[in-house]
Amino acid sequence: MTAVVPLRFQVGARTLASVPRRLVRVGLSLDAVLAAQTPALPSLPADADGVIVTSLPEATLAAFDRRGLLCAVRQRYVRYHTDLRIGVDAWLAGLSGSARSGLKRKAKKLAAASGGTLDIRAYRTPTEIMLFHPLARAVSATTYQERLLGSGLPEDAGHCLRLAAEDRVRAWLLFVDGRPVAYLCCTADGESLRYDHVGHDPAHNDLSPGAVLQMEAMRQLFADRFARFDFTEGEGQHKRQFATTGTACVDLLLLRPTLANRGVMAALGTFDGAMARAKRAAAHPILQRLAKRVRR
């Protein structure tokens, strides 16, 4: 199945321009990533411009069969996951001392704002998901994930309800004074539980509700049936902090070798190269010291 995917010229979360292309998505599961599998590309439908492959293990890139398509690496990242088989005590011991104390401090602050105790509720059955979904949707509507990235909790609860009937959903809400302010919704993929939808009301940023909710969810998952918690594609300090390990991966864009697609690839390559050079320049010690002086 093809879908229109905007190929973005992006600086951080801001999109400067985009070029639509009809693409077939090939995403690797965590099991496939850990096994260093290289997926076979599907036959392209007549209306497809190409393929987007996500979470291809970087170690397999040289051997990947591109089948004559134009190819570009769209992003590089570590796909993080937590080994839930090690037990909660070993996992906690693997966190840095500052991380443990910081999370404890955040939980205490949030509890104080909510009558002295944390109000975190778990949901997994279809009946529970029916209660969870409208509350989580209200939170999702306030988040940058939905407003800027288009990755909020879907408005239709049907898919989540079907998975819940198969015991393949774990979800949580964090409440402050009886109001939901953060949510986490995860679905099972084999022995792994996926970090699918997450967000918190930005009006409560100072209470760090997302980190506190993630911490409690992790504690509960070590007593659940899953072998791994999959933080999926992309990086972030939050993922690095809670994960036990990760695999270097790339997202590949593959397009039919038409004149128009060659132009798109050239433009993307030039833009991405410029952004990479700008990041390296910004990391230079002299420029960092200058930036600190300007902020004073």
Side-chain angles (χ1 to χ4, degrees):
M1 179 183 293
T2 61
V4 176
V5 177
L7 303 180
R8 294 185 174 93
F9 296 79
Q10 200 163 7
V11 179
R14 177 173 296 179
T15 298
L16 303 181
S18 65
V19 179
R21 284 295 182 269
R22 296 190 64 84
L23 302 176
V24 177
R25 186 180 185 276
V26 177
L28 276 74
S29 68
L30 181 58
D31 286 349
V33 169
L34 296 178
Q37 294 180 5
T38 53
L41 292 179
S43 298
L44 288 182
D47 66 340
D49 294 300
V51 181
I52 183 75
V53 180
T54 61
S55 284
L56 180 72
E58 191 163 8
T60 70
L61 182 57
F64 183 69
D65 183 3
R66 304 170 189 186
R67 292 176 51 179
L69 297 173
L70 304 174
C71 180
V73 174
R74 288 298 286 146
Q75 62 175 333
R76 285 182 161 85
Y77 53 89
V78 175
R79 181 158 175 175
Y80 288 103
H81 76 271
T82 299
D83 184 352
L84 298 173
R85 295 166 295 191
I86 66 174
V88 66
D89 291 338
W91 175 71
L92 285 170
L95 299 178
S96 68
S98 61
R100 288 195 300 272
S101 62
L103 288 166
K104 186 179 296 185
R105 184 173 61 253
K106 290 172 182 177
K108 185 176 180 180
K109 181 179 179 181
L110 203 151
S114 190
T117 58
L118 288 176
D119 186 359
I120 295 176
R121 308 174 198 179
Y123 307 80
R124 60 189 287 180
T125 68
T127 299
E128 291 169 347
I129 294 301
M130 285 292 288
L131 297 173
F132 164 84
H133 188 266
L135 297 173
R137 268 299 310 152
V139 176
S140 181
T142 70
T143 65
Y144 80 89
Q145 288 93 339
E146 180 157 329
R147 291 184 293 103
L148 298 180
L149 305 179
S151 60
L153 185 70
E155 293 188 11
D156 183 2
H159 178 65
C160 198
L161 288 169
R162 288 190 291 273
L163 293 180
E166 301 171 2
D167 191 34
R168 294 176 57 196
V169 175
R170 299 292 184 271
W172 295 264
L173 282 167
L174 185 152
F175 293 78
V176 173
D177 288 335
R179 291 183 57 252
V181 301
Y183 82 97
L184 175 61
C185 184
C186 306
T187 60
D189 183 8
E191 292 189 315
S192 300
L193 192 70
R194 290 173 49 91
Y195 182 74
D196 288 327
H197 301 289
V198 61
H200 68 268
D201 186 337
H204 293 82
N205 279 346
D206 60 320
L207 295 176
S208 305
V212 175
L213 178 58
Q214 183 72 53
M215 183 69 173
E216 180 56 31
M218 297 299 291
R219 288 183 187 275
Q220 294 182 22
L221 287 174
F222 280 99
D224 211 319
R225 65 179 176 84
F226 302 102
R228 293 173 292 273
F229 187 82
D230 176 14
F231 282 101
T232 68
E233 293 93 353
E235 293 198 42
Q237 190 273 336
H238 183 82
K239 296 182 179 184
R240 289 191 294 271
Q241 177 172 280
F242 288 102
T244 55
T245 189
T247 305
C249 291
V250 298
D251 287 354
L252 287 186
L253 172 65
L254 300 110
L255 297 179
R256 295 183 190 272
T258 65
L259 184 61
N261 286 340
R262 290 182 188 278
V264 169
M265 284 293 206
L268 286 171
T270 300
F271 181 83
D272 290 346
M275 290 300 99
R277 289 190 293 273
K279 287 181 181 179
R280 287 195 297 270
H284 193 282
I286 294 177
L287 289 178
Q288 288 184 336
R289 289 196 295 270
L290 179 60
K292 288 180 181 178
R293 290 175 184 172
V294 169
R295 287 195 293 267
R296 284 173 184 167

